[in-house]
Amino acid sequence: MKKSIRFWLACWLAMWSWCVNPVLAQGQPTVLTGRVVRAANGDPLVGASVFVKGTKRGTITDRAGRYRFILTEPVTIVARFVGLRDVEVTLLPTGKPIEQNFEMVSNETQLADVMVAANRQDEYLQKVPVAASVVGRRDLERRSIYNTMESLNNTPNLITDSWLNSQVSFSIRGLSTVFDNVGFESTVALYIDDVYFSRSFAFNQTLMDIDRVEVLRGPQGTLFGKNTIGGVIHVISEKPEMTNDGQIELNYGNYNFRQIRAKLNRQLVKNKLAIRLTSALSLRDGFVTDRTPSIEALNKTNFFGFRGSLLFTPSDRVTLTLRGNYGRDNKAENTFVYTSKPDYNPVGVPADEGLTTNQNAPVEFFRDQYGGMGKLEIKLGRNTLTAISALNSSVDSYLSDNDISAADASRWGRSQGLRTFSQELRINSPRDQKFAYVAGLYYLNERISAADTFTLNKGFLPVAARLLGAPIANANQFTSEGYTTDAVIESQSTAGFVSGALELTPKLRLSGGLRLTTETRQLAYYQRLRHQLVNGVPFNIIDLYASTIGSKASPVTRQITDLALSYDVGMDYRFTSNLMGYAKFVRGFKGAGFNTAPIKDSESGGLVFRPEYVNNYELGLKAKPTERIQVNGAIFYTDYKDKQELLDQGTRVRVANAPLTRGYGAEVEFSAMLKRFRLDVSAGYLNLKFIDFPFGTDDNGNPVNYAGNRLLKAPDVTLSVAPEYTVPLNDKLRVYLGLNINHTGKAYNDISNSELLARVPASIINGRVALVPANGKWSLAFWGKNLTNKLYIQHGWEYEFGDQVAWSRPRYYGMEVYLNFR
């Protein structure tokens, strides 16, 4: 890994030294020409004003949207058109002709023209033949969104859940990955500012200083890599700006919720160097109450983090962005309750009632995350060369009462870590030329580790006697037995990719791409049992769950190598400047992996599982008939081969590949805006099932096949309705009224489709009322989430010592204050 870092660092420094000292010929007469067009569809704007800021010197565009005049000194050029936002750009005369085009977007009384980086560069959403949703800065603020999970509530065919701060699940179009096994990489690729995170436990949820969150649905393997079978979630933070401003946000709510977020932007060197600093502190009590006061006292969330970014623009063709971040969680809320019923009470205690539990150990949690990245962009004519280097680290530890009851049956803990280095080098052309392309190289080096500790205590003895079919000898002397499992994965992945779009006619465009990925992974694994001896004889109760495999000095090792080709081909047709249709086929790939969970047999338990592949067929439409209405929709068919699945049930953890999985779905997003009213609606439908899935045998030795079962985390229906109304009180004050209604249909939380653990259909209603002055210098808001107090099961497990479920968050509400400084 060190050699790789040194190699890429040398390449990065060489490019930097080549470009930081450009010489511009200033003060010479320069001919300035260009076009002014509507960003949403590329139509020319006739009669748009193009002028020098602060003067009356300027011109207007002709029938083709073109303009022309002469520069003799550095100036700021402004493009203006009625109903659209002004666009400004600073230009320096070079003595050579300059072409400067302007793309105009809607003002605040119309639907904004949304940007998306689906082709690894910013484009307008309505021009990109991809099923994508974008949650912008405006949405984050007006819906009081504070973390990644909340930001995704309005996306069709997407659900999230989390039973602990470090264990987050994202499911797009019914494709998700089990989140409690570090050997499984995410099926949904997670990105922050172009940097990939292969495990969701390293994906920080608290949003600070975010420009937008993009969701690309369906496989995105050509441009975003191997683990994008479900799609991509890309969090894009705000860049430093050449201004001086800041913001403070204060929040207080029930469950003793307190949050402070702040950001500061400073221009250090005019038009050359700027810095942005942000920080957040979030505190909250747990919503599941433990009857034991000493345990309840530790039932909290406590997060602190900060981010810093530096923007350096030494010339108009070079941009360097540096980012660093740090985050710490040192407490965690309990979300679990014990759910065994009167007719099934294995440990002899009653089931918990509602959101009250009675456990005998607190949840202990700690997480440290830090990292940094550098992004260098160099203009080469009309093309752009981009180099991105990143280092990231995440470590966390967790310990809890595993049986989630008053009976002291078991304890479980885990510590896990992730260290990554990644390097990407790519070149892209502008998307508005006849043949547009993106090509590049990508390298990823990772070290992932996990250590599990499990203990069976005295309260487990009634269960052990039933499983063994006989009373436990010397039971009154038993205290505990357990195991420790340790796994380390070293992974290297290299890829080359190219993607292009060719304009055959002004209306028809063909597109396609290839990505060749090679990766090698090594696993070192051992599992050690801890037996209690009585008169030199072990109880061997822990043997129900695990067996000795390898040792610390001599672990069991496995190595896997994959070489795979991902590709896509498609076409899009622009029926009018406001209506586009597209058809697309994508071949996706996700590499082989390791089962790092505790197992009873290194062979039959499945330390290694095969890679998985998907063929996805999609048809879509994108329409924006006016500046106030937008409709996007898609239908798709998915054919999955060897889907990787895990079942954690009873006394066994089993891993297998489902040979055949198929299904189809549809989704639509609608937005409309009147003078003071806005409505956003999204809907999704899914029908994905295992077609063939033999999964070993049950406890009685009978063969099990999950054919016909629905995929886990795959609701049949998702629906979101978000109306918003603005009430002007006078010429200085406004009130914003907003609702956010999200309905999710039934979804199973395991591949066996257990009804006890299933997520029931639920509608969640959120609301917000805000008072905002016209100058935007402050705001006061009251917000409420899950106003009807609807509860559903986020996740759950069936164990021999009793079932347990993690509940969704009940009703919570609070007050928010924004202060803006300019």
Side-chain angles (χ1 to χ4, degrees):
M1 181 174 178
K2 292 182 179 179
K3 291 183 179 179
S4 301
I5 294 174
R6 286 196 295 267
F7 171 75
W8 287 105
L9 182 61
C11 294
W12 192 85
L13 290 175
M15 286 190 297
W16 175 244
S17 64
W18 173 78
C19 63
V20 293
N21 295 310
V23 178
L24 301 177
Q26 300 184 20
Q28 301 182 28
T30 298
V31 178
L32 175 64
T33 61
R35 295 184 73 214
V36 182
V37 300
R38 188 180 300 274
N41 52 29
D43 285 352
L45 293 174
V46 181
S49 299
V50 182
F51 59 92
V52 177
K53 186 176 182 180
T55 73
K56 296 182 179 181
R57 184 176 165 223
T59 185
I60 61 172
T61 56
D62 61 18
R63 292 182 179 179
R66 295 191 174 277
Y67 71 92
R68 180 183 185 277
F69 61 80
I70 305 297
L71 296 180
T72 58
E73 60 183 358
V75 293
T76 297
I77 301 296
V78 180
R80 177 173 293 169
F81 192 81
V82 176
L84 303 179
R85 298 178 187 172
D86 287 359
V87 179
E88 297 184 5
V89 61
T90 300
L91 297 175
L92 303 175
T94 64
K96 298 180 180 179
I98 295 177
E99 182 179 356
Q100 177 63 53
N101 298 320
F102 293 92
E103 293 185 328
M104 310 289 286
V105 300
S106 306
N107 61 27
E108 64 176 8
T109 64
Q110 300 172 338
L111 290 174
D113 297 312
V114 178
M115 304 295 289
V116 67
N119 289 308
R120 306 311 301 271
Q121 57 183 306
D122 286 350
E123 298 176 80
Y124 290 97
L125 177 63
Q126 297 306 103
K127 293 183 177 182
V128 183
V130 173
S133 300
V134 179
V135 182
R137 194 184 320 172
R138 175 189 181 280
D139 302 313
L140 295 172
E141 291 183 358
R142 295 200 177 183
R143 296 173 186 170
S144 295
I145 292 172
Y146 305 126
N147 59 56
T148 308
M149 292 177 62
E150 290 181 347
S151 71
L152 304 174
N153 287 339
N154 297 79
T155 304
N157 285 331
L158 187 153
I159 65 170
T160 65
D161 60 58
S162 172
W163 59 270
L164 184 67
N165 295 10
S166 67
Q167 308 294 344
V168 185
S169 171
F170 302 95
S171 175
I172 298 179
R173 290 183 173 178
L175 302 180
S176 65
T177 303
V178 63
F179 47 70
D180 61 347
N181 190 318
V182 300
F184 281 76
E185 296 186 73
S186 177
T187 300
V188 175
L190 310 172
Y191 279 79
I192 299 178
D193 294 323
D194 280 314
V195 177
Y196 171 64
F197 291 79
S198 66
R199 307 298 196 278
S200 61
F201 70 79
F203 194 69
N204 197 324
Q205 295 181 69
T206 302
L207 297 183
M208 299 183 292
D209 203 17
I210 301 303
D211 180 68
R212 64 185 189 265
V213 179
E214 300 180 358
V215 179
L216 311 179
R217 298 184 295 277
Q220 309 291 327
T222 300
L223 291 176
F224 286 89
K226 56 190 174 60
N227 295 328
T228 64
I229 287 180
V232 171
I233 297 174
H234 191 181
V235 178
I236 300 173
S237 56
E238 296 178 347
K239 290 183 178 180
E241 299 175 342
M242 300 300 172
T243 60
N244 295 315
D245 58 36
Q247 184 182 78
I248 294 177
E249 174 210 282
L250 305 174
N251 254 291
Y252 182 78
N254 62 335
Y255 297 103
N256 202 23
F257 174 55
R258 294 149 291 157
Q259 180 169 275
I260 301 174
R261 298 190 295 183
K263 60 184 178 182
L264 177 68
N265 191 100
R266 282 292 179 265
Q267 179 177 230
L268 303 179
V269 179
K270 188 175 181 180
N271 297 326
K272 297 291 184 182
L273 185 65
I275 188 171
R276 182 180 288 261
L277 303 173
T278 67
S279 63
L281 173 66
S282 186
L283 309 171
R284 184 179 57 227
D285 294 341
F287 62 88
V288 172
T289 302
D290 199 293
R291 293 189 181 95
T292 305
S294 60
I295 295 177
E296 174 62 19
L298 299 177
N299 184 20
K300 301 177 184 295
T301 286
N302 189 338
F303 168 82
F304 168 74
F306 63 84
R307 298 163 59 90
S309 53
L310 189 73
L311 177 66
F312 182 39
T313 56
S315 75
D316 60 349
R317 64 187 179 98
V318 178
T319 301
L320 173 66
T321 305
L322 300 176
R323 299 185 187 274
N325 66 275
Y326 174 78
R328 169 172 288 191
D329 304 79
N330 58 16
K331 286 185 175 64
E333 307 174 41
N334 174 43
T335 63
F336 286 111
V337 299
Y338 183 66
T339 62
S340 290
K341 305 302 180 184
D343 59 343
Y344 178 66
N345 193 357
V347 292
V349 299
D352 289 329
E353 297 181 2
L355 296 178
T356 301
T357 186
N358 189 11
Q359 302 178 29
N360 44 48
V363 173
E364 298 179 21
F365 176 71
F366 176 83
R367 176 171 59 182
D368 241 353
Q369 295 178 307
Y370 57 89
M373 61 89 73
K375 182 176 182 181
L376 178 64
E377 298 170 280
I378 306 171
K379 294 288 186 182
L380 304 175
R382 296 197 71 210
N383 298 331
T384 302
L385 178 66
T386 303
I388 302 173
S389 305
L391 284 166
N392 282 288
S393 176
S394 177
V395 294
D396 65 65
S397 61
Y398 172 83
L399 179 65
S400 74
D401 178 9
N402 193 54
D403 57 86
I404 315 296
S405 73
D408 192 9
S410 65
R411 305 281 178 92
W412 175 74
R414 169 178 292 164
S415 60
Q416 53 192 8
L418 174 66
R419 291 205 310 266
T420 68
F421 167 73
S422 63
Q423 176 67 52
E424 184 171 3
L425 183 66
R426 67 175 183 259
I427 187 169
N428 63 268
S429 69
R431 299 297 297 179
D432 59 359
Q433 60 187 36
K434 190 167 186 178
F435 176 68
Y437 65 88
V438 182
L441 299 171
Y442 181 77
Y443 174 76
L444 176 69
N445 187 302
E446 293 186 296
R447 186 182 190 276
I448 306 104
S449 62
D452 282 18
T453 301
F454 182 76
T455 302
L456 293 176
N457 300 322
K458 201 173 188 68
F460 184 76
L461 289 181
V463 180
R466 180 174 59 83
L467 293 174
L468 296 172
I472 305 299
N474 301 311
N476 62 332
Q477 298 183 53
F478 180 78
T479 56
S480 69
E481 287 190 336
Y483 64 71
T484 299
T485 298
D486 191 278
V488 176
I489 299 173
E490 301 278 356
S491 176
Q492 299 83 36
S493 179
T494 305
F497 59 90
V498 60
S499 178
L502 176 64
E503 184 183 284
L504 299 180
T505 73
K507 293 180 176 290
L508 180 63
R509 184 171 57 176
L510 294 181
S511 60
L514 295 170
R515 187 184 189 102
L516 182 64
T517 301
T518 177
E519 58 186 29
T520 301
R521 293 191 184 91
Q522 302 88 28
L523 169 70
Y525 177 99
Y526 74 87
Q527 187 168 259
R528 179 175 60 86
L529 302 190
R530 302 186 305 277
H531 289 105
Q532 181 185 351
L533 302 179
V534 175
N535 299 323
V537 179
F539 281 95
N540 287 330
I541 295 177
I542 194 61
D543 296 62
L544 290 166
Y545 287 88
S547 59
T548 297
I549 300 173
S551 65
K552 184 175 183 179
S554 181
V556 172
T557 60
R558 296 287 189 272
Q559 179 169 314
I560 50 179
T561 300
D562 290 314
L563 178 65
L565 188 67
S566 304
Y567 53 90
D568 65 85
V569 60
M571 63 177 291
D572 59 85
Y573 186 80
R574 192 162 290 278
F575 299 96
T576 69
S577 59
N578 299 310
L579 176 63
M580 180 186 74
Y582 68 89
K584 194 172 187 179
F585 168 79
V586 184
R587 171 72 164 177
F589 157 73
K590 180 167 175 275
F594 302 114
N595 175 21
T596 62
I599 55 178
K600 296 182 68 172
D601 185 335
S602 62
E603 298 303 328
S604 64
L607 275 178
V608 180
F609 45 86
R610 300 188 301 275
E612 57 187 20
Y613 301 87
V614 65
N615 294 330
N616 190 78
Y617 309 83
E618 182 170 314
L619 296 173
L621 278 175
K622 295 195 171 186
K624 194 172 184 181
T626 74
E627 293 298 324
R628 298 179 183 272
I629 297 176
Q630 179 174 297
V631 184
N632 295 335
I635 57 175
F636 58 90
Y637 176 79
T638 297
D639 188 354
Y640 227 126
K641 179 182 177 182
D642 284 338
K643 189 175 190 309
Q644 301 163 358
E645 295 289 8
L646 175 145
L647 182 66
D648 186 354
Q649 190 176 49
T651 59
R652 291 177 292 179
V653 175
R654 292 175 289 177
V655 177
N657 291 84
L660 292 176
T661 304
R662 293 181 186 141
Y664 55 88
E667 53 213 13
V668 63
E669 293 179 283
F670 169 83
S671 295
M673 196 166 190
L674 301 177
K675 184 176 182 181
R676 297 172 185 166
F677 179 75
R678 173 171 176 152
L679 178 66
D680 294 292
V681 178
S682 70
Y685 171 75
L686 288 175
N687 188 329
L688 277 84
K689 295 181 179 180
F690 297 116
I691 304 303
D692 180 32
F693 192 5
F695 202 81
T697 60
D698 61 19
D699 292 333
N700 298 317
N702 301 314
V704 173
N705 194 311
Y706 288 133
N709 281 15
R710 283 166 50 183
L711 275 64
L712 76 160
K713 311 293 184 183
D716 49 0
V717 174
T718 57
L719 175 65
S720 173
V721 180
E724 180 184 296
Y725 188 68
T726 302
V727 181
L729 300 180
N730 51 46
D731 59 349
K732 294 183 178 181
L733 289 174
R734 304 172 185 174
V735 172
Y736 293 119
L737 305 172
L739 284 178
N740 197 337
I741 306 168
N742 300 292
H743 176 80
T744 302
K746 184 176 182 179
Y748 290 103
N749 282 312
D750 63 351
I751 59 176
S752 64
N753 286 187
S754 166
E755 294 293 339
L756 179 66
L757 306 180
R759 175 172 175 163
V760 300
S763 296
I764 305 299
I765 302 175
N766 305 325
R768 186 174 187 267
V769 179
L771 178 66
V772 182
N775 60 21
K777 288 187 175 182
W778 57 269
S779 71
L780 173 65
F782 295 92
W783 52 265
K785 301 181 182 183
N786 193 7
L787 294 174
T788 61
N789 205 30
K790 177 68 175 179
L791 296 180
Y792 58 86
I793 295 173
Q794 287 193 82
H795 201 74
W797 287 268
E798 294 179 277
Y799 289 130
E800 298 293 350
F801 45 76
D803 303 326
Q804 52 189 253
V805 297
W807 285 109
S808 62
R809 184 172 297 281
R811 177 170 49 235
Y812 57 114
Y813 49 85
M815 180 179 69
E816 167 194 283
V817 177
Y818 270 104
L819 300 174
N820 293 309
F821 305 97
R822 291 186 175 89

